[in-house]
Short mmCIF file of all heavy atoms in Angstrom, two decimals:
data_model
loop_
_atom_site.label_atom_id
_atom_site.label_comp_id
_atom_site.label_asym_id
_atom_site.label_seq_id
_atom_site.Cartn_x
_atom_site.Cartn_y
_atom_site.Cartn_z
N THR A 45 -5.70 -3.68 9.80
CA THR A 45 -4.97 -3.54 11.05
C THR A 45 -5.02 -4.87 11.79
O THR A 45 -5.95 -5.65 11.58
CB THR A 45 -5.57 -2.40 11.91
OG1 THR A 45 -4.76 -2.19 13.04
CG2 THR A 45 -6.98 -2.70 12.33
N TYR A 46 -4.03 -5.12 12.57
CA TYR A 46 -3.98 -6.37 13.33
C TYR A 46 -4.35 -6.08 14.77
O TYR A 46 -3.54 -5.61 15.55
CB TYR A 46 -2.58 -7.02 13.21
CG TYR A 46 -2.45 -7.75 11.91
CD1 TYR A 46 -2.39 -7.07 10.70
CD2 TYR A 46 -2.45 -9.15 11.88
CE1 TYR A 46 -2.32 -7.74 9.50
CE2 TYR A 46 -2.38 -9.84 10.68
CZ TYR A 46 -2.30 -9.12 9.49
OH TYR A 46 -2.24 -9.80 8.31
N CYS A 47 -5.61 -6.35 15.09
CA CYS A 47 -6.15 -6.06 16.42
C CYS A 47 -6.09 -7.27 17.34
O CYS A 47 -6.76 -7.28 18.38
CB CYS A 47 -7.60 -5.59 16.28
SG CYS A 47 -7.77 -4.03 15.42
N ASP A 48 -5.32 -8.27 16.98
CA ASP A 48 -5.24 -9.49 17.77
C ASP A 48 -4.94 -9.14 19.23
O ASP A 48 -4.03 -8.37 19.52
CB ASP A 48 -4.14 -10.40 17.23
CG ASP A 48 -4.34 -10.77 15.77
OD1 ASP A 48 -5.43 -10.50 15.24
OD2 ASP A 48 -3.41 -11.31 15.16
N GLY A 49 -5.75 -9.68 20.13
CA GLY A 49 -5.58 -9.43 21.56
C GLY A 49 -6.40 -8.27 22.09
O GLY A 49 -6.60 -8.17 23.30
N ALA A 50 -6.88 -7.40 21.22
CA ALA A 50 -7.72 -6.28 21.67
C ALA A 50 -9.08 -6.83 22.09
O ALA A 50 -9.58 -7.79 21.51
CB ALA A 50 -7.88 -5.25 20.56
N ARG A 51 -9.68 -6.19 23.10
CA ARG A 51 -11.00 -6.62 23.55
C ARG A 51 -11.93 -5.45 23.84
O ARG A 51 -13.14 -5.62 23.83
CB ARG A 51 -10.88 -7.50 24.81
CG ARG A 51 -10.18 -8.83 24.59
CD ARG A 51 -10.98 -9.72 23.65
NE ARG A 51 -10.37 -11.00 23.41
CZ ARG A 51 -9.59 -11.29 22.37
NH1 ARG A 51 -9.32 -10.39 21.46
NH2 ARG A 51 -9.09 -12.49 22.22
N THR A 52 -11.40 -4.28 24.08
CA THR A 52 -12.23 -3.13 24.41
C THR A 52 -12.18 -2.12 23.27
O THR A 52 -11.28 -2.15 22.43
CB THR A 52 -11.73 -2.44 25.70
OG1 THR A 52 -10.45 -1.86 25.44
CG2 THR A 52 -11.67 -3.42 26.86
N ALA A 53 -13.14 -1.22 23.26
CA ALA A 53 -13.16 -0.17 22.22
C ALA A 53 -11.85 0.61 22.25
O ALA A 53 -11.26 0.90 21.19
CB ALA A 53 -14.35 0.75 22.43
N ALA A 54 -11.35 0.94 23.42
CA ALA A 54 -10.10 1.69 23.53
C ALA A 54 -8.92 0.91 22.95
O ALA A 54 -8.06 1.48 22.27
CB ALA A 54 -9.82 2.06 24.99
N GLN A 55 -8.89 -0.39 23.19
CA GLN A 55 -7.80 -1.22 22.65
C GLN A 55 -7.88 -1.32 21.13
O GLN A 55 -6.85 -1.25 20.44
CB GLN A 55 -7.82 -2.61 23.29
CG GLN A 55 -7.43 -2.61 24.75
CD GLN A 55 -7.68 -3.94 25.42
OE1 GLN A 55 -8.50 -4.75 24.99
NE2 GLN A 55 -6.95 -4.18 26.52
N TYR A 56 -9.09 -1.48 20.60
CA TYR A 56 -9.24 -1.53 19.14
C TYR A 56 -8.84 -0.20 18.51
O TYR A 56 -8.14 -0.16 17.50
CB TYR A 56 -10.68 -1.91 18.75
CG TYR A 56 -10.96 -3.38 18.89
CD1 TYR A 56 -11.76 -3.86 19.93
CD2 TYR A 56 -10.44 -4.30 17.99
CE1 TYR A 56 -12.01 -5.22 20.07
CE2 TYR A 56 -10.69 -5.65 18.12
CZ TYR A 56 -11.47 -6.11 19.15
OH TYR A 56 -11.71 -7.45 19.29
N ARG A 57 -9.27 0.89 19.12
CA ARG A 57 -8.90 2.22 18.59
C ARG A 57 -7.39 2.42 18.61
O ARG A 57 -6.83 2.99 17.67
CB ARG A 57 -9.59 3.31 19.41
CG ARG A 57 -11.07 3.38 19.15
CD ARG A 57 -11.72 4.44 20.04
NE ARG A 57 -13.15 4.45 19.82
CZ ARG A 57 -14.05 4.45 20.80
NH1 ARG A 57 -13.66 4.48 22.06
NH2 ARG A 57 -15.33 4.46 20.50
N ALA A 58 -6.75 1.96 19.65
CA ALA A 58 -5.29 2.10 19.74
C ALA A 58 -4.59 1.31 18.64
O ALA A 58 -3.61 1.78 18.05
CB ALA A 58 -4.80 1.65 21.12
N LYS A 59 -5.09 0.12 18.34
CA LYS A 59 -4.50 -0.70 17.27
C LYS A 59 -4.67 0.00 15.92
O LYS A 59 -3.75 0.04 15.11
CB LYS A 59 -5.13 -2.08 17.22
CG LYS A 59 -4.86 -2.94 18.43
CD LYS A 59 -3.48 -3.54 18.39
CE LYS A 59 -3.33 -4.59 19.48
NZ LYS A 59 -2.04 -5.25 19.41
N TYR A 60 -5.85 0.55 15.68
CA TYR A 60 -6.08 1.28 14.43
C TYR A 60 -5.17 2.50 14.35
O TYR A 60 -4.57 2.77 13.32
CB TYR A 60 -7.54 1.70 14.29
CG TYR A 60 -8.41 0.67 13.64
CD1 TYR A 60 -9.16 -0.23 14.40
CD2 TYR A 60 -8.51 0.59 12.25
CE1 TYR A 60 -9.96 -1.18 13.79
CE2 TYR A 60 -9.31 -0.36 11.65
CZ TYR A 60 -10.03 -1.25 12.42
OH TYR A 60 -10.82 -2.20 11.82
N ALA A 61 -5.07 3.24 15.45
CA ALA A 61 -4.24 4.45 15.45
C ALA A 61 -2.79 4.10 15.13
O ALA A 61 -2.12 4.81 14.38
CB ALA A 61 -4.34 5.14 16.80
N GLU A 62 -2.33 3.00 15.66
CA GLU A 62 -0.96 2.55 15.41
C GLU A 62 -0.75 2.26 13.92
O GLU A 62 0.26 2.65 13.33
CB GLU A 62 -0.70 1.30 16.24
CG GLU A 62 0.66 0.68 16.09
CD GLU A 62 0.76 -0.60 16.91
OE1 GLU A 62 0.22 -0.65 18.04
OE2 GLU A 62 1.39 -1.55 16.42
N ASN A 63 -1.70 1.57 13.30
CA ASN A 63 -1.56 1.19 11.90
C ASN A 63 -1.84 2.33 10.93
O ASN A 63 -1.22 2.43 9.89
CB ASN A 63 -2.49 0.01 11.58
CG ASN A 63 -1.96 -1.28 12.12
OD1 ASN A 63 -1.11 -1.91 11.51
ND2 ASN A 63 -2.42 -1.68 13.29
N HIS A 85 -8.39 -10.29 11.32
CA HIS A 85 -7.51 -9.50 12.20
C HIS A 85 -8.11 -8.16 12.63
O HIS A 85 -7.60 -7.56 13.57
CB HIS A 85 -6.15 -9.31 11.54
CG HIS A 85 -5.40 -10.59 11.44
ND1 HIS A 85 -4.85 -11.22 12.54
CD2 HIS A 85 -5.14 -11.39 10.38
CE1 HIS A 85 -4.27 -12.34 12.15
NE2 HIS A 85 -4.43 -12.47 10.85
N GLU A 86 -9.17 -7.70 11.99
CA GLU A 86 -9.84 -6.51 12.51
C GLU A 86 -10.53 -6.81 13.83
O GLU A 86 -10.92 -5.90 14.56
CB GLU A 86 -10.87 -5.98 11.50
CG GLU A 86 -10.29 -5.09 10.44
CD GLU A 86 -9.71 -5.84 9.25
OE1 GLU A 86 -9.79 -7.07 9.19
OE2 GLU A 86 -9.18 -5.18 8.37
N VAL A 87 -10.68 -8.10 14.14
CA VAL A 87 -11.30 -8.53 15.40
C VAL A 87 -10.28 -9.28 16.25
O VAL A 87 -9.86 -8.83 17.29
CB VAL A 87 -12.54 -9.41 15.13
CG1 VAL A 87 -13.17 -9.89 16.43
CG2 VAL A 87 -13.56 -8.65 14.28
N ASP A 88 -9.87 -10.46 15.76
CA ASP A 88 -8.86 -11.28 16.42
C ASP A 88 -8.51 -12.42 15.46
O ASP A 88 -9.38 -12.86 14.68
CB ASP A 88 -9.41 -11.85 17.73
CG ASP A 88 -8.33 -12.35 18.67
OD1 ASP A 88 -7.36 -11.61 18.91
OD2 ASP A 88 -8.47 -13.48 19.17
N PHE A 96 -17.11 -15.82 19.74
CA PHE A 96 -16.39 -14.64 20.20
C PHE A 96 -17.33 -13.79 21.05
O PHE A 96 -18.51 -13.63 20.72
CB PHE A 96 -15.88 -13.84 19.00
CG PHE A 96 -14.79 -12.87 19.33
CD1 PHE A 96 -13.49 -13.30 19.54
CD2 PHE A 96 -15.06 -11.52 19.45
CE1 PHE A 96 -12.47 -12.42 19.84
CE2 PHE A 96 -14.06 -10.61 19.76
CZ PHE A 96 -12.76 -11.07 19.95
N ALA A 99 -19.79 -8.51 23.20
CA ALA A 99 -19.40 -7.13 23.51
C ALA A 99 -18.08 -6.78 22.84
O ALA A 99 -17.89 -5.67 22.34
CB ALA A 99 -19.30 -6.93 25.02
N ASN A 100 -17.15 -7.73 22.81
CA ASN A 100 -15.86 -7.49 22.16
C ASN A 100 -16.03 -7.36 20.65
O ASN A 100 -15.39 -6.53 20.02
CB ASN A 100 -14.88 -8.62 22.49
CG ASN A 100 -14.59 -8.72 23.97
OD1 ASN A 100 -14.87 -7.81 24.75
ND2 ASN A 100 -14.05 -9.85 24.39
N LEU A 101 -16.91 -8.19 20.11
CA LEU A 101 -17.19 -8.10 18.67
C LEU A 101 -17.82 -6.76 18.32
O LEU A 101 -17.48 -6.14 17.31
CB LEU A 101 -18.09 -9.26 18.23
CG LEU A 101 -18.39 -9.37 16.74
CD1 LEU A 101 -17.12 -9.46 15.91
CD2 LEU A 101 -19.28 -10.58 16.48
N ALA A 103 -17.32 -3.98 19.91
CA ALA A 103 -16.24 -2.99 20.00
C ALA A 103 -15.39 -3.01 18.74
O ALA A 103 -15.02 -1.95 18.21
CB ALA A 103 -15.38 -3.25 21.24
N ALA A 104 -15.10 -4.20 18.24
CA ALA A 104 -14.31 -4.32 17.00
C ALA A 104 -15.07 -3.75 15.81
O ALA A 104 -14.49 -3.02 14.99
CB ALA A 104 -13.96 -5.79 16.75
N ARG A 105 -16.36 -4.04 15.72
CA ARG A 105 -17.18 -3.52 14.62
C ARG A 105 -17.25 -2.00 14.70
O ARG A 105 -17.15 -1.31 13.69
CB ARG A 105 -18.58 -4.13 14.67
CG ARG A 105 -19.46 -3.78 13.48
CD ARG A 105 -20.82 -4.43 13.60
NE ARG A 105 -20.77 -5.86 13.65
CZ ARG A 105 -20.84 -6.66 12.58
NH1 ARG A 105 -20.96 -6.14 11.39
NH2 ARG A 105 -20.79 -7.97 12.72
N GLY A 106 -17.40 -1.48 15.89
CA GLY A 106 -17.44 -0.03 16.07
C GLY A 106 -16.15 0.63 15.61
O GLY A 106 -16.17 1.65 14.91
N ALA A 107 -15.01 0.04 15.97
CA ALA A 107 -13.72 0.59 15.55
C ALA A 107 -13.56 0.50 14.04
O ALA A 107 -13.01 1.41 13.41
CB ALA A 107 -12.58 -0.15 16.25
N PHE A 108 -14.05 -0.58 13.44
CA PHE A 108 -14.00 -0.72 11.98
C PHE A 108 -14.69 0.47 11.32
O PHE A 108 -14.14 1.11 10.43
CB PHE A 108 -14.69 -2.04 11.57
CG PHE A 108 -14.85 -2.21 10.09
CD1 PHE A 108 -13.83 -2.72 9.31
CD2 PHE A 108 -16.04 -1.85 9.46
CE1 PHE A 108 -13.98 -2.88 7.94
CE2 PHE A 108 -16.21 -2.01 8.10
CZ PHE A 108 -15.18 -2.53 7.33
N GLU A 110 -15.50 3.40 12.68
CA GLU A 110 -14.89 4.67 13.07
C GLU A 110 -13.68 5.03 12.22
O GLU A 110 -13.37 6.21 12.05
CB GLU A 110 -14.44 4.62 14.54
CG GLU A 110 -15.55 4.64 15.54
CD GLU A 110 -15.06 4.42 16.95
OE1 GLU A 110 -13.83 4.47 17.20
OE2 GLU A 110 -15.90 4.18 17.83
N HIS A 111 -13.02 4.04 11.69
CA HIS A 111 -11.76 4.28 10.98
C HIS A 111 -11.86 4.12 9.47
O HIS A 111 -10.84 4.00 8.79
CB HIS A 111 -10.67 3.36 11.56
CG HIS A 111 -10.33 3.74 12.96
ND1 HIS A 111 -11.01 3.24 14.04
CD2 HIS A 111 -9.42 4.61 13.45
CE1 HIS A 111 -10.52 3.76 15.14
NE2 HIS A 111 -9.55 4.60 14.82
#
Side-chain angles (χ1 to χ4, degrees):
T45 187
Y46 280 69
C47 295
D48 303 348
R51 294 295 180 264
T52 66
Q55 290 170 337
Y56 282 107
R57 288 177 182 133
K59 294 282 190 176
Y60 272 96
E62 179 183 322
N63 284 278
H85 292 288
E86 277 84 3
V87 179
D88 198 49
F96 198 77
N100 299 344
L101 184 56
R105 187 180 300 269
F108 172 85
E110 288 173 12
H111 292 88

